[in-house]
């Protein structure tokens, strides 16, 4: 058997014993404790001992979604950051990039996810969707069509949906900040 | 060589003539540790104990190669059973074996085919086994298709390294293939770059933008992803999709086919559905054979010191012609598994968490600001987010000794640290 330890001479071998904490766990601790969020975003941990499942509330202070509080669930698996976090909107909202099931169209949550990205990048990306909804990547097709073809109608739909209106048979959640 | 010192007693004359050409005499590239002749043969054939993880496409090749090279004490772990679709390349299995555990069938086949070899199978997960189990091997070879399993074994072997015990360093040889591409690498835990160090080099699985899947499907794969990503959770709510359950695949196949008809897309089949949801990249038998050979070659060189071993990453690209590239992947200082630093801290039993944090921030050599501390699942003090900071704040006034036993390991992260730091706390 090769004498591997002779290679180690120049290293500080004694200082390398590591704790039994998974790489995913360390990364999540690092990501969460280094979150640098504006006042418009807040995290909440239903079970504070569980860092892998939490809620993010976005309360935009400008743009057409101002006045609403939008709630997303985050679920991180043990293969993070190889796998992206799973993010869903927990309310039924009227938004071109969020469908009625809460699926979100944000490239870095799927096709453009990379391990060098972190939770902060995802959260900033989500907030950006409320400042600049994107009709080119629709998940709620009707909302997207409305946004590009009839902007005034779209804006008024946004406002009434946020108050919990029923639009074309869909009951939206009242998301107004109380 | 028969019988000279009992090594070859069960070996017929000339059994290992081809291998012995290498082992009988030192060459220009052999290390000084090479014990030409009986010494090295005795180690290879009577002492070396090797673990093979995975008995699939790569694993079958690896097991056969090792057995024929002269490793005689081989263990194999695999959690899967044999599927009929495996039979084209996983050549240790026959139609009668479908449904049986891969590890067991592979072990029996090798033992029957190659006399005098002991292959010990374990049908289950690598996570079922503890440090003591992994400690018994000289070498570990992985032929896995799961990133998660590789990360686990990599971290386990890095953690196993005990500077006081030379035997605790287990070289890890990792093979992987994806269609016509593959790689083989040698990881010397804590010494060379580890699997986690190179995590961002991995090809990520093809994912289609969710809005394409939802609105503008053009490919059969788009229809299948629509069924699995959007329709499954909508219809089944919290019921988890099990990609090994044929009923679930049937449901996805039916839904995807209907979607394909609606958009006039052709090509949704049952096996494509299974392939997309299980993220199966067609396995190519020859790629497996090349990568397995590279891995076993390294195992042989490391076990015998008969030649310099791979430093440390061999990459094969067979998509257009045959291209290979070998390079030294560098260890990452901020690798959460093998990077970072570890500090022994001996503190008074009265020291509080807040005082410990002050001691850390005052340490000139590590330049740490606002550290967050945890130990296993215990959150000691987290600087953010606000809710967790508030919950852990009362711990600042507690004595460290109330929260941690002596020898307790603390994981420290901070934005100013490019790596993570671990503390080994003992009390004065
Ligand atoms: Zn590493």
């Amino acid at each position: 058997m090769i004498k591997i330890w002779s290679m180690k001479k120049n290293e500080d071998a004694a200082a390398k014993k590591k704790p039994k904490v998974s790489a995913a766990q360390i990364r999540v601790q690092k990501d969460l404790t280094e979150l640098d969020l504006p006042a418009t975003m807040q995290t909440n941990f239903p079970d504070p001992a569980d860092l892998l499942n939490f809620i993010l509330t976005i309360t935009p202070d400008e743009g057409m979604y101002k006045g609403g509080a939008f709630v997303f669930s985050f679920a991180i698996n043990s293969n993070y950051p190889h796998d992206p976090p799973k993010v869903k909107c927990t309310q039924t909202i009227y938004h071109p990039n969020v469908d009625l099931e809460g699926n979100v169209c944000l490239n870095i949550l799927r096709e453009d996810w990379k391990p060098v990205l972190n939770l902060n990048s995802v959260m900033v990306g989500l907030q950006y969707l409320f400042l600049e909804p994107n009709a080119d990547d629709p998940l709620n097709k009707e909302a997207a069509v409305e946004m590009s073809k009839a902007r005034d109608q779209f804006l008024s739909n946004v406002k009434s949906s946020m108050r919990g209106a029923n639009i074309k048979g869909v009951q939206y959640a009242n998301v107004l900040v109380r | 060589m028969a019988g000279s010192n009992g090594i070859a007693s069960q070996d017929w004359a000339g059994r290992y003539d081809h291998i012995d050409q290498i082992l009988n005499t030192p060459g220009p590239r052999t290390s000084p540790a090479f014990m030409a002749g009986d010494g090295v043969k005795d180690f290879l054939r009577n002492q070396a104990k090797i673990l093979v993880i995975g008995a699939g496409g790569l694993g079958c090749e690896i097991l056969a190669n090792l057995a024929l090279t002269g490793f005689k004490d081989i263990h194999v772990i695999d959690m899967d059973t044999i599927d009929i679709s495996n039979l084209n390349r996983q050549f240790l299995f026959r139609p009668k074996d479908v449904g049986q555990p891969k590890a067991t069938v592979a072990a029996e086949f090798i033992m029957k085919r190659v006399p005098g070899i002991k292959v010990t199978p374990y049908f289950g997960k690598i996570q079922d086994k503890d440090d003591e189990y992994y400690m018994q091997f000289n070498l570990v070879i992985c032929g896995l298709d799961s990133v998660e399993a590789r990360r686990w074994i990599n971290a386990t072997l890095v953690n196993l390294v005990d500077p006081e015990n030379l035997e605790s360093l287990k070289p890890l040889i990792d093979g992987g293939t994806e269609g016509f591409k593959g790689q083989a690498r040698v990881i010397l835990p804590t010494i060379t770059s580890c699997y986690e160090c190179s995590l961002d080099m991995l090809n990520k699985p093809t994912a289609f933008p969710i809005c394409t899947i939802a609105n503008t499907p053009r490919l059969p794969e788009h229809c299948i992803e629509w069924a699995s990503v959007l329709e499954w959770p909508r219809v089944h709510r919290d019921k988890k999709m099990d990609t090994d359950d044929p009923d679930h695949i049937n449901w996805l196949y039916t839904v995807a086919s209907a979607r394909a008809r609606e958009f006039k897309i052709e090509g949704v089949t049952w096996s494509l559905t299974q392939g997309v949801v299980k993220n199966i990249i067609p396995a190519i038998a020859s790629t497996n054979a090349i990568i397995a050979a590279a891995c076993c070659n390294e195992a042989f060189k490391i076990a015998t010191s008969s030649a310099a071993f791979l430093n440390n990453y061999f990459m094969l690209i067979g998509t257009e012609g045959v291209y290979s590239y070998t390079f030294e992947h560098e260890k990452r200082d901020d690798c959460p598994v093998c990077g970072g630093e570890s500090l022994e801290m001996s503190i008074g039993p009265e020291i509080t968490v807040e005082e410990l944090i002050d001691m850390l921030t005052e340490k000139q050599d590590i330049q740490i600001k606002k550290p967050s501390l945890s130990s296993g699942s215990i959150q000691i003090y987290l600087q953010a987010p606000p809710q967790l900071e508030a919950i852990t704040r009362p711990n600042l006034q507690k004595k460290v000794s109330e929260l941690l036993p002596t020898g307790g390991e603390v994981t420290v992260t901070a934005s100013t640290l490019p790596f993570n730091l671990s503390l080994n706390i003992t009390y004065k």
Side-chain angles (χ1 to χ4, degrees), chain B residues 15 53 63 76 102 114 124 127 149 156 170 180 189 192 205 216 237 263 271 274 320 333 346 369 403 414 418 422 425:
Chain B
R15 178 176 193 179
I53 302 179
L63 287 166
V76 57
K102 289 186 176 180
V114 192
Q127 290 89 344
T156 299
K170 314 289 178 191
F180 288 102
T192 65
T216 50
R237 292 288 142 194
F263 286 88
S271 66
Q274 189 193 34
E320 290 162 62
D333 286 342
S346 178
K369 281 188 194 119
L403 298 166
S422 71
I425 304 280

Side-chain angles (χ1 to χ4, degrees), chain B residues 154 192-197 331-332 335-339:
Chain B
N154 175 66
T192 65
S193 150
C194 79
Y195 186 74
E196 192 82 19
C197 286
K331 207 164 183 282
R332 256 178 50 191
C335 172
V337 171
C338 76

Side-chain angles (χ1 to χ4, degrees), chain A residues 19-121:
Chain A
K20 271 264 173 200
V21 181
S22 79
Q25 222 176 315
I26 295 174
R27 241 315 275 273
V28 171
Q29 175 176 326
K30 195 164 167 61
D31 276 18
L32 286 172
T33 55
E34 291 169 22
L35 281 179
D36 184 17
L37 297 178
T40 49
M41 285 195 272
Q42 268 196 335
T43 52
N44 178 49
F45 293 77
D47 171 8
D50 177 7
L51 297 184
L52 302 180
N53 293 284
F54 57 90
I55 299 291
L56 173 75
T57 306
I58 302 179
T59 47
D61 60 359
E62 55 181 313
M64 59 191 92
Y65 289 95
K66 184 178 170 178
F70 301 93
V71 181
F72 292 85
S73 63
F74 276 64
I76 298 168
N77 71 19
S78 59
N79 209 14
Y80 183 78
H82 180 67
D83 293 352
K86 277 205 161 48
V87 177
K88 280 207 156 192
C89 182
T90 64
Q91 306 144 317
T92 308
I93 65 168
Y94 180 82
H95 189 294
N97 310 112
V98 181
D99 73 11
L100 302 179
E101 298 298 316
N103 295 301
V104 183
C105 187
L106 180 64
N107 62 337
I108 56 170
L109 281 176
R110 236 177 111 74
E111 68 275 16
D112 292 331
W113 170 257
K114 297 183 196 71
V116 292
L117 295 171
N118 57 26
L119 294 172
N120 208 79
S121 4

Side-chain angles (χ1 to χ4, degrees), chain B residues 145-159:
Chain B
D145 56 4
S146 147
V147 172
E148 198 170 356
R150 280 204 185 88
R151 289 177 74 189
W152 189 88
I153 189 68
N154 175 66
T156 299
L157 294 184
V158 170
N159 283 317

Side-chain angles (χ1 to χ4, degrees), chain B residues 80-200:
Chain B
D80 280 339
T81 54
I82 298 162
D83 186 80
I84 192 150
S85 65
N86 301 147
L87 301 183
N88 71 330
R89 62 189 185 284
Q90 300 180 17
F91 56 85
L92 303 178
F93 312 139
R94 297 292 175 265
K96 67 170 169 52
D97 302 321
V98 169
Q100 299 296 310
K102 289 186 176 180
T104 320
V105 175
E108 280 164 12
F109 192 109
I110 296 283
M111 286 195 284
K112 217 166 113 191
R113 187 72 175 73
V114 192
I117 310 277
K118 191 170 153 230
V119 185
T120 312
Y122 174 69
F123 170 42
K125 297 168 80 167
I126 50 175
Q127 290 89 344
D128 298 343
K129 299 293 190 183
D130 57 10
D131 285 359
E132 204 187 327
Y133 173 83
Y134 290 106
M135 205 61 164
Q136 65 179 306
F137 302 104
N138 299 103
L139 271 172
V140 178
I141 302 196
C142 276
L144 286 163
D145 56 4
S146 147
V147 172
E148 198 170 356
R150 280 204 185 88
R151 289 177 74 189
W152 189 88
I153 189 68
N154 175 66
T156 299
L157 294 184
V158 170
N159 283 317
L160 205 59
V161 175
D162 172 3
E164 310 290 305
N165 173 11
L166 307 190
E167 294 291 306
S168 66
L169 199 146
K170 314 289 178 191
L172 170 63
I173 301 166
D174 179 55
T177 67
E178 248 187 39
F180 288 102
K181 296 181 189 167
Q183 84 281 331
R185 61 194 291 191
V186 171
I187 294 168
L188 303 179
T190 71
I191 298 178
T192 65
S193 150
C194 79
Y195 186 74
E196 192 82 19
C197 286
S198 59
L199 202 60
D200 51 11

